[in-house]
Each structure stands twice: as structure tokens, then as C-alpha cells.
Amino acid sequence: MASSAIFFSFFLSLSLHVSATDLDDICPVRVCHPRGPEIRFPFRATDFHPERCGYPGFDLSCNVRGQAILQLPDSQYFVVDLINYEEQFVVLKDPSNCLAKRLQNLTLSGSPFVAEQYGRFTFASCLEDLSSLPGIERVDCLSDQQNNVLVSPAGDFYAFWYFSEFGCRNWTVSAPVSWQHPTDITERVVLKWDRPDCRGCEESGRRCGFKGSAGSDVGCFGKPGLSKRTKFWILTSVMLPSLLCVSGLSCYLSSLAQLSRHRARQGQPPNGERSANNVTDVSFPTSASRETRSASNTVVGIDLATIESYPKIQVGDDGQVPRQDDHICAICLSEYEPKETLRTIPKCGHYFHVQCIDQWLGLNASCPLCRDHKRYA
């Protein structure tokens, strides 16, 4: 039996000294609940980890409710709500949800933890509920129907005056919680630790642990990596812009595909070559050409501002068009598709694809169907 213990200690020492992979094998991360904090060095789960997997005073246990429990001196038990290994602090709550009662006699002497900040609070036992007054809170877990236990920051003159005026019995407590907000004393307490100092290991993405089978020397194990915070910022600064670029490229390619399909319906190849059987001239006549055509008594097109003033309509989701017997654009000879945008000539009421009629009217001031050569502009 003794030889087995010696062999195990030697094996543990060798494993902890060799690599982080072996450290993970001997001292794996433990959780009491999937949503609970990770338990690893300097903490250890007493029902799971060997003794050398944790630092003295950092023992945790799992209760039947899946909560990690930390025992402080004088048999003080607290629920561990959060452990921050990089900044070395722990957030504690009371198992019975009455932290204000536990803080009345809390002592941290003999433990590796110290308070981030101490605050002084005045408690008062009153017959009247004064919690509606500014700066005073009622501690429900300490109160009953006959007695109201109230709390306020020590030194609050108005709260002290109210307690005296209503004949309350009051006392002052120094507690390791922030003093700015009285309700903090009923919610949680934040404690930090300085030894062992594993912040360098955590920041480099490595694991912290004892260097050997004896002694208190602590070292880092594993190859340097990136901390969780650094990984988060890398993902935010690199992956997000990449996703935006991919999304923009997808939208651009989709737009090109839609334009290509529309040109194909007009009979124009995607490369922009003209078709002899369709009206596909996408350019408007220049001012010089308009003047020349006007001089030769040829009807010229309508200016762009006037064309844009003509109303637009949209084909319905089911392909419904304004006129049941008019499903084909007279310019490109393509059927109207659902959700396509059409433009109407106000004088005659005929409608066509927006692209088709805009190009037509830029060259001709007449409707393609009724051929009314009187200018619309």
C-alpha cells in the first residue's frame, strides 16, 4: 500500500513536471454544473482531484444542487458563482440567499482570500418599514411581519436621523462589499487572491500548477498560447470584417446574376453585344444628335427628368398585372415576372419594363404601342 502511494506520488510529480498534456490528464478541469465555473489550479474539487492539483485553502466541493461550495474559516460555506483566473478574483453568494446575515460575522483571517473593498453599513431593526425613504433598503431575509431589518451606508445622516426618530435599534457592520449601493450587501461578495500568482500563465494561455511532488513552487505548463480575451478580440477584429466582405461580395455577384438574367430576357447576351431582334440600346442620344434630329424634323426623345416622373407599378407576387390580357412587354417581348417594376405612360396608360421604356423614351417621344408622335413632355 505504501509502495503504491510512493509510486503514485512519483508519477504525479513527473507528470506535472513534463508537459501540460500530462497535467490535463492528472488534473483535468472539473465543473459541478455545465453552467458553473471551471475548477482548476489553484482550486481543486476535493471529490475529484488529487491533493497536489490545488493550492492549500482553495478546496471546493460540489453539492447535490450542482453548486461549487467554498469553505472559509469558522465553517463558513459560500456558493462560488464565478472564478476569474486571469484577474484572480472569485464571486461568492450565500447558499440560503441571505448574504447580509452571513456578512455580520464574516472573517477572512486564515484564508488566502482578501476583500477587494470594504464598506461600512448601518443596520437597523424597526417596527416601521422605512425602505421607501432615500438611501434605506429593507433586508427581506432578516425581516418578518413584526420586525423590519433595514440597511443603509454608514454615515448617511438622513438615514441615521430616521432610525433615531422611529426608535430603531441600529448597529454598524464592516463588510467586504462595495459601499456605494446598499443592495450589494444582499447579493454577492467579491474576494481576490494574490498567492499563488498564476496571472502570467493564464495570460499566456498556459496552465498553472505545482512543479513537483513536494513544496509550494508553482510553474507554467504547456506551450504559450492566446488568452481567452485575446482570442475574442482576434475573432472580433478579423472574422467580423471577413464576414462583411464575403457578404458584400455575395450581394455584388447576386446583382450581376440578376442583371445577366434580365439582359437575357431582352435578348442581349451577358457580354453586352446587341441583338438584332430586340431594342437594347442602353445609351441616350447626345445633345448634338438631338439637335441634328430636330433640325431634320425627326421626333427626339424625352429628357430623363420627365421620364423619371412617370409612375411606376410592381407586378404582384402571383404575377398579377394591371391588365389581365397584357402579360408581355412590347419592347423586349418578355413576359412580366413577379415583383418586376414597370413604368406607365400617363397619357395612354400603357406600361412596360422600366429599363425598356426608359431607353425607348430617351430615343422616342412616343408610346411604342399607340405610336402617338405628339411629345409627352
Side-chain angles (χ1 to χ4, degrees), residues 123-146:
F123 284 82
S125 177
C126 308
L127 296 177
E128 300 289 336
D129 184 2
L130 307 178
S131 58
S132 61
L133 299 174
I136 299 177
E137 298 285 342
R138 185 176 188 268
V139 184
D140 294 332
C141 65
L142 296 179
S143 304
D144 52 37
Q145 295 181 352
Q146 289 79 29

Side-chain angles (χ1 to χ4, degrees), residues 117-240:
Q117 183 178 3
Y118 273 88
R120 291 180 60 80
F121 296 86
T122 297
F123 284 82
S125 177
C126 308
L127 296 177
E128 300 289 336
D129 184 2
L130 307 178
S131 58
S132 61
L133 299 174
I136 299 177
E137 298 285 342
R138 185 176 188 268
V139 184
D140 294 332
C141 65
L142 296 179
S143 304
D144 52 37
Q145 295 181 352
Q146 289 79 29
N147 187 48
N148 297 279
V149 177
L150 308 170
V151 62
S152 69
D156 189 320
F157 172 79
Y158 294 102
F160 181 78
W161 184 85
Y162 286 124
F163 293 156
S164 301
E165 185 70 17
F166 285 88
C168 304
R169 181 178 63 88
N170 58 76
W171 64 98
T172 301
V173 173
S174 178
V177 292
S178 175
W179 59 269
Q180 286 89 348
H181 197 287
T183 55
D184 285 352
I185 200 170
T186 65
E187 295 174 359
R188 63 180 187 173
V189 58
V190 180
L191 304 179
K192 63 179 182 178
W193 73 90
D194 295 322
R195 294 186 58 192
D197 189 354
C198 294
R199 282 168 284 206
C201 291
E202 295 292 334
E203 291 175 357
S204 64
R206 293 182 288 175
R207 286 281 302 276
C208 196
F210 284 121
K211 289 184 177 180
S213 60
S216 58
D217 291 339
V218 174
C220 298
F221 299 88
K223 297 179 180 180
L226 298 176
S227 64
K228 293 181 180 178
R229 182 178 301 176
T230 303
K231 291 178 180 178
F232 171 78
W233 285 113
I234 290 177
L235 288 175
T236 303
S237 59
V238 176
M239 295 301 295
L240 184 58

